[in-house]
Amino acid sequence: MLDDTAAILISSNDTSNTPIPVDESPVKKYGFITESQMSIAISYSGRERKRVFKITQFLKKQMKPNHGDYSVFFDQDFQHEICRLNGQHHLHKIYQNAKMVVVFLSPTYTDSRYCTGEWRTIIDRFVTTPDNSEEKQLLLIKLGDYDHNKLDLKATDFSLNGMRKSNEQIAETIFKRWEAIQKNDNIS
């Protein structure tokens, strides 16, 4: 049993291996983090996990000063929350409620039943809404050639060509979009 002064490691992905005091743990403070609105939710094919993980790590470093460690939803970081009965429903709610959604498109994205389920949720939110006011909150990033038709994307739907950018550059682009969304929300 841990007391209030004990320390725990929140994520095995924390490369610093610095324990977070229990008092400061978001899990203790908020319970299930993914049941609150995430700042950015990431959708990707499992075959792209290594690269997306690296990009997400760079993004988290940029987000951390103002938004904390747990503002970016990367499924690997929240297995303890999403592995449950009806977990796919919970996962879809994360994409429905996130302030911004980033989709990493690749040849295998449409081959995954999880990705296609996430995509249906994402497309319902951003494309089929009558006023389409949230469209700026969706960022598509191309990590490889993919079938536009399987995703119902049009030639006028642009994605960032991540095949020509470093992981750091992609993270910077995501962060710039995030900042623009934040500024836009503060103006409204």
Side-chain angles (χ1 to χ4, degrees), residues 81-145:
E81 294 192 21
I82 60 176
C83 293
R84 58 164 101 176
L85 293 176
N86 207 5
Q88 193 161 7
H89 175 73
H90 178 63
L91 193 60
H92 289 221
K93 285 177 64 178
I94 293 167
Y95 291 106
Q96 288 170 339
N97 296 327
K99 190 74 171 167
M100 177 180 165
V101 176
V102 178
V103 180
F104 288 93
L105 301 168
S106 65
T108 58
Y109 189 82
T110 56
D111 294 340
S112 164
R113 70 180 173 108
Y114 295 108
C115 291
T116 54
E118 291 168 13
W119 180 253
R120 272 187 247 118
T121 298
I122 292 165
I123 212 72
D124 284 348
R125 174 181 173 186
F126 292 105
V127 176
T128 60
T129 54
D131 66 357
N132 209 12
S133 62
E134 291 187 329
E135 66 185 6
K136 295 178 203 103
Q137 293 173 261
L138 174 63
L139 179 59
L140 304 175
I141 300 174
K142 177 182 173 181
L143 295 183
D145 293 326

Side-chain angles (χ1 to χ4, degrees), residues 160-174:
L160 175 72
N161 190 347
M163 296 166 49
R164 298 181 182 196
K165 296 201 176 288
S166 70
N167 296 339
E168 296 92 345
Q169 289 171 319
I170 294 171
E172 180 65 28
T173 301
I174 297 168

Side-chain angles (χ1 to χ4, degrees), residues 36-59:
S36 299
Q37 184 182 43
M38 302 298 291
S39 297
I40 300 173
I42 307 291
S43 178
Y44 65 97
S45 165
R47 291 198 183 141
E48 303 295 335
R49 182 177 306 276
K50 285 183 182 179
R51 182 159 190 215
V52 174
F53 174 76
K54 290 175 185 173
I55 294 166
T56 303
Q57 291 302 95
F58 287 118
L59 177 61

